């Protein structure tokens, strides 16, 4: 399902869809030189998102026609020479970290969107480890919402085809194995940032007494894209907006609301029995500090 020619986000959505499909059947339910900085002008891109989806990929909670329209909701990315683009450049410099620093290593971990790995980013903040077997309803909610949130970013991504900062500056990233694909995938808005913020919104609703820590982790998940040198600050901001728009739309879906209720009950039963270790959380906290 995850073709190497698919953008990283779409491949990860395919991985989430594998779980969604299985859950539905379960009784439990090359290095190049610097490139010009493209900003707000659209360019010819690949086919529409519907043409790029893997055949037979299960849907999230929403049909494609009901996803928030990122092209309508988002302004064009900042134009080169504008004050907003100057902020993007300044933030890009400010967020750079040495490749052996804890924050860079954490950002590299946050770049991995395979659900079984990515969901663990919120374990310390939420006080529970999302697990396909032990918390299957929570895992299903996060997987299905992942598809909706991720796909909501692609109308603007494919329209603007914004060049990523590592391409514009002839630099590298925290995931060199993905750079060839990232060069062809639009930077605006950030899909990773949308997912991190969307997951944080869901978990903050389910575990309200930990909402501040969860939302901080969702913010840090998006900031990791800046540390990784694969997104501009305005990409990250736009991704968070699309996450909020998608979650607002999801709350109008009875199936989503029912799954939230079931996940809340599931977490009440499991409690802290699935909490991560103090050592693991201390390591994560050190990795999130901008030393």
């Amino acid at each position: 399902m995850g073709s190497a020619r698919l953008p990283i986000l779409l491949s990860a959505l395919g991985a989430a869809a594998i779980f969604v499909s299985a859950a539905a059947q379960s009784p439990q339910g090359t290095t190049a030189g610097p490139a010009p900085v493209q900003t707000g002008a659209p360019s010819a891109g690949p086919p529409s998102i519907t043409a790029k989806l893997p055949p037979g990929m299960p849907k999230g909670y929403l049909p494609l026609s009901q996803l928030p329209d990122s092209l309508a909701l988002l302004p064009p990315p900042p134009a080169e020479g504008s004050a907003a683009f100057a902020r993007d450049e300044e933030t890009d410099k400010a967020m750079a970290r040495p490749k052996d620093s804890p924050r860079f290593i954490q950002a590299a971990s946050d770049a991995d969107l395979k659900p079984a790995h990515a969901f663990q980013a919120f374990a310390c903040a939420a006080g529970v480890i999302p697990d396909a077997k032990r918390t299957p309803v929570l895992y299903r909610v996060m997987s299905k919402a992942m598809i909706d949130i991720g796909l909501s970013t692609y109308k603007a991504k494919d329209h603007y085809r914004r060049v990523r900062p590592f391409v514009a500056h002839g630099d590298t990233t925290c995931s060199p194995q993905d750079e060839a694909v990232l060069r062809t995938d639009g930077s605006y808005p950030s899909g990773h940032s949308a997912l991190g913020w969307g997951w944080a919104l869901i978990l903050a609703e389910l575990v309200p007494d930990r909402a501040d820590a969860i939302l901080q982790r969702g913010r840090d998940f998006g900031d990791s894209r800046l540390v990784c040198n694969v997104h501009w600050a305005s990409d990250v901001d736009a991704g968070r907006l699309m996450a909020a728009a998608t979650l607002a739309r999801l709350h109008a879906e009875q199936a989503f609301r029912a799954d939230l209720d079931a996940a809340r009950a599931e977490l009440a039963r499991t409690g802290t029995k699935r909490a991560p270790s103090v050592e693991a959380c201390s390591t994560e906290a050190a990795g999130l500090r901008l030393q």
Side-chain angles (χ1 to χ4, degrees):
M1 184 174 291
S3 167
R5 288 177 292 180
L6 284 173
I8 304 302
L9 177 57
L10 286 176
S11 296
L13 298 183
I18 291 173
F19 174 80
V20 171
S21 179
Q25 300 170 19
S26 167
Q28 295 180 345
T30 80
T31 304
V37 178
Q38 293 181 353
T39 51
S43 61
S48 67
I49 184 65
T50 54
K52 294 195 295 183
L53 288 176
M57 175 176 170
K59 305 299 188 292
Y61 290 99
L62 299 171
L64 291 174
S65 62
Q66 294 297 307
L67 291 172
D69 186 342
S70 55
L71 196 56
L73 292 175
L74 299 175
E80 189 173 3
S82 67
F85 185 70
R87 170 185 174 260
D88 277 349
E89 288 280 25
E90 289 168 4
T91 304
D92 183 65
K93 295 182 178 69
M95 295 297 287
R97 290 295 180 276
K99 292 178 172 53
D100 60 349
S101 68
R103 188 64 183 91
F104 190 90
I105 293 168
Q106 181 62 56
S109 178
D110 286 350
D112 183 352
L113 286 181
K114 291 188 291 294
H117 173 85
F119 297 169
Q120 309 312 306
F122 292 88
C124 292
V128 62
I129 301 174
D131 182 272
K133 293 182 178 179
R134 297 176 184 266
T135 56
V137 182
L138 175 61
Y139 204 91
R140 182 174 72 242
V141 171
M142 294 179 73
S143 297
K144 293 189 71 170
M146 179 181 186
I147 296 170
D148 295 321
I149 296 165
L151 294 183
S152 77
T153 67
Y154 263 91
K155 196 167 183 180
K157 272 182 174 288
D158 286 350
H159 181 77
Y160 293 114
R161 308 295 297 165
R162 191 183 194 190
V163 170
R164 294 171 185 264
F166 83 93
V167 179
H169 299 147
D171 209 340
T172 59
T173 74
C174 66
S175 49
Q177 72 280 5
D178 295 334
E179 288 176 10
V181 176
L182 290 171
R183 289 175 184 275
T184 68
D185 190 41
S187 187
Y188 179 90
S190 167
H192 278 70
S193 302
L195 292 173
W197 194 242
W199 289 329
L201 292 173
I202 291 170
L203 288 165
E205 185 169 348
L206 292 174
V207 195
D209 58 322
R210 290 176 170 264
D212 285 347
I214 291 167
L215 293 170
Q216 287 167 13
R217 187 62 180 95
R219 177 204 62 202
D220 291 339
F221 197 90
D223 286 352
S224 286
R225 305 309 282 162
L226 306 175
V227 176
C228 277
N229 197 29
V230 291
H231 280 294
W232 309 96
S234 54
D235 301 340
V236 172
D237 292 343
R240 291 170 180 153
L241 190 154
M242 291 311 304
T246 305
L247 261 293
R249 176 62 184 82
L250 283 172
H251 273 85
E253 293 297 305
Q254 191 277 333
F256 176 73
R257 297 196 306 272
D259 274 357
L260 275 186
D261 289 342
R264 191 176 291 110
E266 180 179 75
L267 290 175
R269 291 193 304 271
T270 58
T272 59
K273 289 183 289 187
R274 291 294 298 152
S277 70
V278 173
E279 182 181 6
C281 293
S282 297
T283 300
E284 180 186 88
L288 290 170
R289 287 196 294 268
L290 285 171
Q291 295 100 329

